[in-house]
Amino acid sequence: MRRSYAENFQFNLGPTLKKLLGILSKAGFDGFLLMIGTMILLAYFLPQPGMVKEPVSLEQIANAGVSLIFLFYGLRLSVEKLKAGLANWKMHIIVQLTTFLFFPLIVLACRSLFVGTQFELLWLGIFFLAALPSTVSSSVVMVSIAGGNIPAAIFNASISSLIGVVVTPLWVGLFIASATGHFDVTDIVIKLTLQVLLPVVIGISLNSRFGAIAEKYKKQLKYFDQAIILTIIYTSFCKSFSEHLFAGFTALELAGLAAGMMALFFAVFFCVGLLSRLFGFSAEDRITVLFCGSKKSLVHGTVMSKVLFQHSTITGIILLPLMLYHALQLIAASIIAQGMARRKEKE
């Protein structure tokens, strides 16, 4: 019995759609992004819980949760893995230079388009995104799907997190004073060291004793990470909505911002791919450079925004480009990784 055109279309689309949804789910693109949108809506319609200070505020809970996130992250990161990753130093230098130099320079070159307009604060959010470390989990997942160098991906994503504690505040500090009225780089680095770097170091030191336990319960720890991120997003947007900071943005302007974030991703992705070919990297190493060099971390962004923009109402706007980039990078990278995997299977 012959199928109709519609039935054939559904038959062909079904497995592809299911496979794509499976990839997105592995990368963290499941209900979490839906929950981010829910938190923003909740902050708009019910901001009062996010503003309460006594007896314990949601901000204080989030601060404690941030330190625990990085403690658990350190528990799953062994010294042996870090040592093994040092071998391919050329690739690591390209990835880190892309993450912390090439990305910010691209956004910095566009600053003149925003200065003196109502979007100047939005540019600061885009620059903050550009100065952030690479994401860990989704980068490794995409490299794995595409058939890249997984140990190198783990090393690059991990070392990027540690470098970002110092480099990100130094970059953002060049422009943050004009937006918030103050910036003390020493104070910021000390806070990030105590809240982020110290827990990671403690976790690494305890890896031999508790690393296996942390690895066993990594799914549950992921849910804890997400709960803390959602809390930070909710409290940040509560402040921004209370000050009516989004009143000047139309739906068309927000769509333009999303298009700009997609253009930024592909600009970096293309240039990093070109660089990796010029340096003669193997196919597996090129894949690692592509996905580690083009991704940005929502976890580190939400955490660092609490420290860099402490007591400021602009945090919601600062996080807006990052949240759009986070969602779009997962969609684009998943489609690209799936295409690479199919080509390798044919070869």
Side-chain angles (χ1 to χ4, degrees):
M1 185 176 177
R2 294 184 64 186
R3 293 189 183 90
S4 67
Y5 175 79
E7 287 173 331
N8 277 324
F9 179 77
Q10 290 175 348
F11 179 78
N12 293 327
L13 182 63
T16 304
L17 185 60
K18 188 176 179 181
K19 191 173 182 180
L20 180 59
L21 289 174
I23 294 170
L24 292 175
S25 179
K26 287 179 183 178
F29 190 79
D30 41 21
F32 181 53
L33 287 175
L34 180 63
M35 286 303 298
I36 289 177
T38 304
M39 287 298 105
I40 295 172
L41 288 174
L42 194 62
Y44 181 78
F45 290 107
L46 192 66
Q48 291 83 3
M51 310 290 284
V52 171
K53 301 295 181 183
E54 301 292 340
V56 178
S57 70
L58 285 175
E59 281 194 86
Q60 290 172 321
I61 294 171
N63 284 334
V66 163
S67 296
L68 287 174
I69 284 175
F70 285 95
L71 175 66
F72 296 142
Y73 171 67
L75 281 175
R76 303 200 305 272
L77 188 62
S78 68
V79 176
E80 288 73 23
K81 285 181 182 177
L82 288 173
K83 287 180 179 177
L86 285 170
N88 203 341
W89 60 271
K90 282 185 181 178
M91 180 177 63
H92 305 324
I93 288 174
I94 293 296
V95 172
Q96 300 311 320
L97 283 177
T98 302
T99 302
F100 293 112
L101 185 63
F102 187 54
F103 246 114
L105 288 177
I106 288 178
V107 178
L108 195 58
C110 302
R111 186 170 182 248
S112 60
L113 301 175
F114 294 83
V115 174
T117 71
Q118 62 174 330
F119 305 114
E120 193 165 357
L121 195 58
L122 204 56
W123 178 87
L124 182 61
I126 299 170
F127 188 74
F128 171 64
L129 146 74
L132 286 171
S134 176
T135 185
V136 178
S137 57
S138 64
S139 290
V140 175
V141 168
M142 297 306 170
V143 169
S144 174
I145 291 168
N149 187 334
I150 297 174
I154 294 171
F155 175 84
N156 270 294
S158 302
I159 206 70
S160 176
S161 302
L162 303 180
I163 294 171
V165 173
V166 176
V167 175
T168 301
L170 288 175
W171 261 124
V172 180
L174 296 174
F175 306 97
I176 199 174
S178 60
T180 61
H182 66 280
F183 184 76
D184 183 352
V185 68
T186 305
D187 184 50
I188 294 296
V189 171
I190 289 172
K191 284 179 180 177
L192 285 173
T193 300
L194 292 175
Q195 198 169 10
V196 177
L197 191 57
L198 183 60
V200 170
V201 172
I202 292 172
I204 292 173
S205 67
L206 297 173
N207 172 266
S208 58
R209 296 180 65 183
F210 302 106
I213 298 173
E215 197 64 34
K216 181 181 178 181
Y217 294 102
K218 65 180 181 181
K219 185 176 181 180
Q220 289 80 359
L221 293 176
K222 177 187 172 184
Y223 292 141
F224 174 77
D225 294 355
Q226 292 178 345
I228 296 301
I229 293 168
L230 291 173
T231 303
I232 294 171
I233 289 170
Y234 172 68
T235 55
S236 299
F237 275 83
C238 284
K239 289 180 182 178
S240 295
F241 283 131
S242 67
E243 295 291 324
H244 307 288
L245 292 183
F246 293 100
F249 297 106
T250 66
L252 185 61
E253 287 165 349
L254 292 176
L257 175 63
M261 294 302 93
M262 200 78 270
L264 178 61
F265 172 84
F266 280 112
V268 174
F269 196 87
F270 173 78
C271 292
V272 171
L274 191 61
L275 270 176
S276 63
R277 287 184 181 277
L278 288 174
F279 277 87
F281 292 151
S282 66
E284 289 77 13
D285 287 352
R286 280 203 306 272
I287 289 169
T288 303
V289 172
L290 281 170
F291 288 108
C292 289
S294 60
K295 308 294 277 304
K296 289 293 181 178
S297 173
L298 179 65
V299 175
H300 290 81
T302 49
V303 169
M304 289 186 178
S305 69
K306 283 189 66 60
V307 180
L308 294 171
F309 305 95
Q310 195 173 23
H311 309 305
S312 175
T313 57
I314 67 171
T315 312
I317 285 185
I318 296 299
L319 287 176
L320 184 60
L322 174 60
M323 287 188 291
L324 285 172
Y325 190 91
H326 173 75
L328 294 169
Q329 74 179 0
L330 287 176
I331 296 170
S334 297
I335 293 169
I336 293 168
Q338 188 184 34
M340 287 179 172
R342 282 199 299 266
R343 282 197 296 273
K344 287 197 78 170
E345 285 175 7
K346 289 178 181 178
E347 290 170 2

